Amino acid sequence: MNKIKFILAIITIGSALTLSSCSDFMDIVPSTEYTEDMVFSDAGTAQAFVTQLYNDIMHGAKEHTLDGLTDDAYFTHNYGQKAINEAAVSESGLEWYGRLEGSGSYRFSNNPFHWQNRYRGIRNANLAIARIDEVPPKSGYDLKRMKGEAYYLRAHMYHELLRGYGGVPIAEIYTLDDPEAMKIPRNTVGEVLELILADLTVAEQNLTVTVPDAMLGRVTKYVATGMKARIALHVASPLYADRTINTLACNQYTGDRMALYRIAKNAAINVIENGPYRLIDCSKGTNIEKAELFKAIITDKKNSEQMFVRNFGIDAGDRNFMGRWHGPNGYYNWAGTTPSHDLVMAYEFEDGSLATPNDPEPLFKPGDWRKGNPYNGREPRFYATVATDGNTWGRPRGTAGAVFDPTPMGTLQAGTYELTAGSAGGRDISIVLPAGLGTVSFYGIPGVDTRQGPIEDWNGSWTGYYERKLIDCSVDAQGTPQAVPWTFMRLAEMYTIAAEASVELGELEDAEKYIDILRARVGNVPIRQALAARGKSFNQADLREAIRHERRVEFAYESNRYYDVRRWLIADVTNSKPLCGIRVIARLKPGATQGMPYIHNETKYDYFYYVNPIGNENRRWDNKMYFAPISLDEMRRNPNLKQNPGMGSGS
């Protein structure tokens, strides 16, 4: 098997091992320089080195997210990701794929498969794996666990590289006197998968089933098993079997795909049946109450569904500012990544049906509009994930915002509202409606959470929606971080993997079993009933589509859809659609009056909803985008690398 050689001289633990705060177990910050031999001569410094590996995998609690590169979301500030959505990237123009932040040797990227950062981590994991057996035992330190962590984290980093680039070089540690050994070709997807599965087997053998609360955030045995399920399903998927679009040999899988689906299914069921995790019942109460139970699965620091999370502190280190990055501008937040109207329309109604373009009042394309709330009667996950005009946000406004919205827990104002003519605080408003529907004029006020509002209008959502799933809405996010973890893996994924693999294996009743358990936990109707409500049948093709749909709504904003649409070979459809949002206009009913402050009131106002095109990106798809470009610098350093098709500067 081909391998790349990496160089390691001196490790500066004071900088390299400073962890941005996960939980108490990551509070090891030695302040002196150690040679490699010194690090692995003591269990304490070895533990610090292994602990640092957790910083070498990238979480998604950032302003930019992978979801902004899908049909689920739009990045409000339109830099970095715009070129990717327009398929205008190459080896010499990586845009967000290669963007680095921070300073020094540990500059980071929000991209989870950033080439340089993941290989830096792999180099460190290789060193830990090579030396951990030499470390003398020491009371209070578990060397077996350290070995399991190193093997798991190396597998995690390779799985990200594989999902981003396809086949990648497999790396080892070498010395300065052999630079030519680094100049080797890429390994195949099959070879990288083989390494990942082997590493995960070693991890399973060395990791414990659970950890004490003081060690929350460390990987455990069934996290490794869950990763087997994830990566086997990924490589079994259509992208890696294709020979027309996926034309580079190292990116093609030549093994038995059905055997991989079987590995994925068995591993997922193993986690479900034998792991210490349990689905949380979110099926009681109103849809809003169910939504809050579902949302807590993501925002709780600890619960029975979490398998592997990145915990954050609120005092120092790497803190989670998702509330500020993604929240409404009326709270002085930045609306970084906002939901698309396409995602909103993907959430089913309580009977399992979906909105369609054939509905009496469809809301799918610019020019479509309706009078009356289109969000009533949706399934609970919708209300947990997306905030719409008139929703309660979860905390009172600050002094400036309360002038416009004095409601006790804050009511989202993402529309434009008529006021009684001449009343204080209003103005003459003229709105050009989308798709040639004309112009509407009245005396009123733009909502405080819009791009025409009175507070940081440049941070208002272009789509008319806000993401709420990853946000603790009770936190004053303008200057305060939230203690919400980033979820790398949770139990629900194992149910969708078991269901998807079962469909591909032709075991439809098993697929039904696992997807129905997941749906029932939020009170949704069984999948057969939902299929019937959608005019579909219980067959392989329709069930496949339904399970793919289930993954989309279950894992929205958890960085799954970017990979899913690629591995399913459907990105040419999902990523070429014009991006749309919603325009909300509220007109006073005959005889009604309203001055400032405006209060959402469906008995006083008629609310009109217009599908609104977002013209800031010319979204288009090119099949070269199934795999990310390797940077020109890497190509120059290693002339034996082959670039992904279409990503060469001259292609």
Side-chain angles (χ1 to χ4, degrees):
M1 189 177 285
N2 292 325
K3 305 183 189 252
I4 286 184
K5 300 183 180 182
F6 277 96
I7 305 157
L8 181 76
I10 294 178
I11 306 163
T12 306
I13 299 185
S15 59
L17 301 189
T18 301
L19 279 161
S20 1
S21 91
C22 293
S23 57
D24 291 345
F25 84 84
M26 286 192 170
D27 291 338
I28 302 170
V29 189
S31 59
T32 56
E33 287 190 352
Y34 286 72
T35 65
E36 177 185 325
D37 287 340
M38 292 168 67
V39 167
F40 293 102
S41 66
D42 177 78
T45 52
Q47 178 66 83
F49 187 85
V50 170
T51 296
Q52 167 59 34
L53 296 178
Y54 285 87
N55 271 356
D56 288 321
I57 59 175
M58 177 49 60
H59 59 78
K62 297 292 180 181
E63 185 182 9
H64 273 119
T65 71
L66 282 178
D67 297 284
L69 301 176
T70 75
D71 52 343
D72 283 356
Y74 174 68
F75 181 65
T76 296
H77 304 295
N78 208 231
Y79 63 86
Q81 293 188 332
K82 182 176 188 286
I84 297 173
N85 286 328
E86 295 179 346
V89 295
S90 68
E91 64 183 13
S92 56
L94 301 182
E95 297 294 334
W96 179 79
Y97 282 142
R99 185 169 176 262
L100 286 167
E101 299 177 14
S103 61
S105 61
Y106 269 67
R107 299 180 70 200
F108 69 91
S109 165
N110 294 349
N111 177 4
F113 49 85
H114 187 275
W115 185 281
Q116 177 185 334
N117 285 355
R118 296 300 78 75
Y119 272 114
R120 181 195 65 211
I122 287 169
R123 174 198 64 193
N124 293 339
N126 284 339
L127 178 60
I129 288 167
R131 302 294 301 268
I132 199 67
D133 287 338
E134 304 171 18
V135 179
K138 186 176 182 180
S139 177
Y141 293 92
D142 188 340
L143 295 173
K144 183 177 181 183
R145 156 163 281 286
M146 292 183 210
K147 176 185 282 191
E149 287 176 301
Y151 272 98
Y152 173 84
L153 292 165
R154 182 170 74 174
H156 189 110
M157 287 181 270
Y158 272 119
H159 116 278
E160 294 288 34
L161 288 168
L162 187 158
R163 294 197 298 174
Y165 299 100
V168 294
I170 293 176
E172 284 189 352
I173 307 168
Y174 289 89
T175 57
L176 285 167
D177 59 2
D178 195 11
E180 291 302 310
M182 292 188 287
K183 299 177 181 179
I184 63 168
R186 295 164 65 175
N187 288 85
T188 67
V189 161
E191 290 169 337
V192 179
L193 174 65
E194 181 182 357
L195 173 68
I196 292 170
L197 293 176
D199 277 3
L200 293 171
T201 295
V202 177
E204 287 174 316
Q205 294 165 351
N206 286 275
L207 293 171
T208 55
V209 173
T210 61
V211 293
D213 284 355
M215 296 172 66
L216 287 178
R218 286 194 183 275
V219 293
T220 54
K221 174 181 178 178
Y222 286 101
V223 174
T225 308
M227 182 58 76
K228 281 185 175 179
R230 177 191 287 177
I231 196 62
L233 182 79
H234 188 90
V235 177
S237 300
L239 173 62
Y240 299 95
D242 181 78
R243 299 294 183 267
T244 302
I245 294 172
N246 180 3
T247 58
L248 189 63
C250 71
N251 290 343
Q252 300 167 349
Y253 184 67
T254 59
D256 184 345
R257 293 174 61 218
M258 292 302 108
L260 283 187
Y261 281 124
R262 182 66 63 192
I263 290 170
K265 178 178 178 177
N266 290 344
I269 292 173
N270 186 4
V271 174
I272 291 167
E273 294 183 350
N274 300 312
Y277 321 107
R278 296 294 177 267
L279 291 178
I280 294 171
D281 184 2
C282 307
S283 64
K284 303 297 189 296
T286 66
N287 272 355
I288 299 301
E289 289 168 336
K290 295 173 187 176
E292 289 307 305
L293 291 171
F294 176 76
K295 186 172 181 286
I297 295 167
I298 305 300
T299 57
D300 280 354
K301 291 194 71 171
K302 178 189 176 185
N303 62 58
S304 65
E305 289 203 30
Q306 293 172 347
M307 294 175 62
F308 180 28
V309 301
R310 172 64 180 260
N311 288 310
F312 296 93
I314 59 172
D315 298 321
D318 189 13
R319 293 176 289 175
N320 183 344
F321 278 100
M322 286 294 269
R324 181 173 70 191
W325 290 325
H326 289 196
N329 60 303
Y331 282 91
Y332 292 90
N333 304 151
W334 302 353
T337 299
T338 55
S340 69
H341 185 64
D342 196 79
L343 173 67
V344 168
M345 299 308 286
Y347 284 91
E348 68 192 68
F349 293 98
E350 291 171 336
D351 66 354
S353 64
L354 295 169
T356 75
N358 297 321
D359 291 344
E361 294 178 301
L363 283 176
F364 280 89
K365 65 183 187 304
D368 288 352
W369 67 279
R370 64 164 289 175
K371 176 183 175 182
N373 192 330
Y375 313 119
N376 291 334
R378 299 296 180 107
E379 64 133 308
R381 290 175 295 190
F382 169 69
Y383 304 108
T385 304
V386 180
T388 65
D389 177 68
N391 284 174
T392 298
W393 182 250
R395 69 179 311 275
R397 306 271 182 178
T399 302
V403 173
F404 305 97
D405 171 28
T407 58
M409 296 302 287
T411 303
L412 199 66
Q413 293 185 4
T416 306
Y417 317 107
E418 185 177 12
L419 300 177
T420 301
S423 60
R427 66 175 189 259
D428 291 327
I429 289 175
S430 183
I431 299 172
V432 179
L433 300 176
L437 291 177
T439 301
V440 60
S441 300
F442 54 87
Y443 186 84
I445 187 169
V448 70
D449 302 304
T450 67
R451 293 192 67 81
Q452 298 77 39
I455 296 177
E456 296 189 0
D457 55 354
W458 63 90
N459 281 330
S461 168
W462 286 98
T463 70
Y465 299 113
Y466 288 92
E467 182 267 306
R468 67 177 300 135
K469 184 179 186 181
L470 308 180
I471 297 174
D472 180 350
C473 299
S474 69
V475 171
D476 181 3
Q478 182 184 8
T480 306
Q482 59 180 27
V484 172
W486 171 259
T487 302
F488 287 114
M489 186 183 296
R490 60 186 175 93
L491 183 58
E493 184 181 357
M494 299 301 108
Y495 282 87
T496 63
I497 291 172
E500 183 178 339
S502 294
V503 165
E504 301 306 330
L505 291 165
E507 297 164 358
L508 302 191
E509 286 74 19
D510 279 358
E512 177 185 25
K513 169 186 171 182
Y514 289 107
I515 210 64
D516 274 351
I517 292 172
L518 189 61
R519 289 172 58 81
R521 67 89 101 85
V522 291
N524 284 4
V525 300
I527 197 65
R528 285 193 194 232
Q529 185 177 335
L531 285 169
R534 301 170 194 177
K536 303 289 185 178
S537 301
F538 187 78
N539 58 41
Q540 187 181 45
D542 287 351
L543 192 54
R544 175 187 293 123
E545 180 183 349
I547 289 169
R548 290 179 177 183
H549 185 271
E550 196 73 20
R551 278 185 63 93
R552 181 183 189 184
V553 298
E554 173 73 27
F555 300 114
Y557 302 111
E558 296 180 57
S559 294
N560 282 319
R561 189 155 175 83
Y562 176 91
Y563 303 113
D564 280 350
V565 300
R566 284 164 171 75
R567 68 182 179 88
W568 293 330
L569 272 180
I570 63 169
D572 61 319
V573 175
T574 64
N575 285 44
S576 61
K577 291 181 291 188
L579 193 74
C580 291
I582 201 76
R583 185 71 187 260
V584 183
I585 299 174
R587 303 298 304 272
L588 285 166
K589 293 178 182 289
T593 61
Q594 176 70 53
M596 276 287 293
Y598 158 81
I599 305 292
H600 185 90
N601 188 333
E602 295 188 14
T603 64
K604 182 180 288 191
Y605 280 93
D606 289 322
Y607 290 85
F608 297 84
Y609 299 81
Y610 297 86
V611 178
N612 198 41
I614 308 299
N616 302 335
E617 286 181 347
N618 180 25
R619 289 200 172 191
R620 59 179 290 269
W621 179 257
D622 187 309
N623 285 337
K624 72 177 185 177
M625 300 301 296
Y626 276 108
F627 298 99
I630 302 169
S631 74
L632 182 59
D633 286 344
E634 295 294 340
M635 299 296 294
R636 286 171 172 166
R637 276 193 285 267
N638 180 3
N640 292 314
L641 285 176
K642 282 191 176 181
Q643 182 58 269
N644 280 324
M647 292 299 185
S649 300
S651 60

